[in-house]
Amino acid sequence: MTGILGIIGGSGLYDLPGLTDTGWVAVDTPWGAPSDEIFMGTLQQGDKASRLAFLPRHGRGHRVPPSEVNYRANIAALKQLGVTDVLSLSAVGGLRADLPPGTFVVVDQFIDRTFAREKSFFGTGLVAHVSMARPVCPRLGDHVQAGLAALGVPHVRGGTYLAMEGPQFSTLAESQLYRSWNCDVIGMTNMPEAKLAREAELCYASVAMVTDFDCWHPHHDDVTVEAIIGVLLSNADHGRALVVQAAQAVTHDVHAAGCSCRSALQHALITSPTARDPLMVERLRTIAGRVL
């Protein structure tokens, strides 16, 4: 085993057949508590075992709204547990007619329209700037795409995720604006999650599961609650199957150690060593210890 796969998503993702050595682990971080305890387990596939860590993004029972998720604590907790790769699964609205409900989009770009969230581990006393030009891990994306193809799940490789603040959904004017920007899906949770994963030198992939068309669609108001719930349940089943399908490839990838995501901080620290705040340095040991 070369890594530990962390999965951030809905509460039901950890209900996998064959998952053993399981238990909930409470983790405290310098940024407070994550959304919930983290469910650890081992998935045995043939002669290979994959260690997995599941974090309910909104807490069990969906208690925490998107703007109040402690994204820094979530990523830090996974890092502290030894997670090396993060697979983010999230429900989204579709902004294109050819991405109907039930489609999975392996996201490769983001537009961040959130404004009420802490977006960095770094700050006064220790400044860092990481590149977000390519915000997801292409190696991890390859494994995800292969898993979706093997399962026969309708999917698209590549797409732009518009991250909005919420918790309210878009106005019609906003939805039309985002379509004019060539965004593909819209959601409320992948930012600053992806930014923090990059700062923590974790490989990160985002799988956006389309549940409905956003309000731009002329028949949006005709969609029933029952139809949306049906798509949600189907997406959850496919999400669990994807985790099983991709786990072995991700956690036993011999090329993972050389992935550029894992050296994202190599030239990112700007504050000179003599000017660094000792308290900030200590706080950031888990996140940036490799370069501190």
Side-chain angles (χ1 to χ4, degrees):
M1 189 184 306
T2 60
I4 297 177
L5 176 62
I7 299 98
I8 304 177
S11 301
L13 285 173
Y14 48 80
D15 185 19
L16 301 179
L19 198 63
T20 61
D21 190 24
T22 60
W24 289 96
V25 179
V27 183
D28 190 27
T29 82
W31 295 273
S35 297
D36 206 328
E37 295 178 332
I38 296 173
F39 187 78
M40 302 290 295
T42 300
L43 185 65
Q44 190 71 40
Q45 297 168 292
D47 61 349
K48 290 187 176 180
S50 302
R51 192 67 176 157
L52 307 178
F54 298 85
L55 174 59
R57 184 186 282 113
H58 300 282
R60 280 168 282 182
H62 205 109
R63 299 174 294 103
V64 186
S67 296
E68 296 181 32
V69 170
N70 191 338
Y71 294 96
R72 293 191 297 183
N74 283 355
I75 295 298
L78 292 174
K79 179 84 172 183
Q80 288 175 209
L81 289 175
V83 165
T84 52
D85 301 83
V86 175
L87 177 57
S88 166
L89 295 111
S90 56
V92 298
L95 292 172
R96 285 172 31 192
D98 59 343
L99 296 177
T103 305
F104 281 35
V105 180
V106 186
V107 173
D108 64 353
Q109 284 294 329
F110 298 98
I111 293 178
D112 186 0
R113 295 281 288 175
T114 65
F115 53 82
R117 310 173 187 191
E118 295 289 348
K119 300 189 179 187
S120 177
F121 291 111
F122 298 90
T124 302
L126 185 49
V127 178
H129 300 283
V130 297
S131 172
M132 290 298 296
R134 292 173 174 80
V136 299
C137 176
R139 178 189 58 83
L140 197 52
D142 288 342
H143 293 313
V144 171
Q145 182 181 20
L148 290 170
L151 292 167
V153 176
H155 67 281
V156 174
R157 177 68 184 272
T160 297
Y161 178 122
L162 188 291
M164 62 177 293
E165 188 62 58
Q168 301 84 2
F169 293 116
S170 304
T171 66
L172 177 57
E174 289 169 335
S175 189
Q176 291 171 336
L177 173 65
Y178 303 149
R179 276 170 48 81
S180 77
W181 290 351
N182 294 320
C183 297
D184 300 289
V185 295
I186 183 167
M188 301 180 187
T189 59
N190 276 199
M191 281 293 175
E193 193 175 86
K195 292 177 176 177
L196 294 165
R198 178 58 51 83
E199 287 189 345
E201 297 189 321
L202 298 176
C203 296
Y204 180 89
S206 170
V207 180
M209 304 180 293
V210 180
T211 59
D212 65 312
F213 288 117
D214 202 44
C215 63
W216 66 271
H217 197 279
H219 301 301
H220 176 270
D221 292 340
D222 298 332
V223 178
T224 65
V225 173
E226 290 79 10
I228 292 176
I229 291 175
V231 175
L232 283 168
L233 292 174
S234 175
N235 284 353
D237 288 341
H238 289 155
R240 285 189 289 269
L242 173 60
V243 171
V244 173
Q245 186 70 32
Q248 187 175 118
V250 172
T251 57
H252 299 279
D253 186 344
V254 297
H255 302 291
C259 188
S260 61
C261 302
R262 302 190 182 183
S263 57
L265 291 175
Q266 191 63 41
H267 304 291
L269 301 188
I270 303 300
T271 308
S272 65
T274 56
R276 293 173 185 171
D277 181 343
L279 294 178
M280 281 289 287
V281 170
E282 191 57 35
R283 191 184 196 198
L284 284 158
R285 285 290 178 196
T286 299
I287 299 301
R290 189 188 66 81
V291 292
L292 288 174

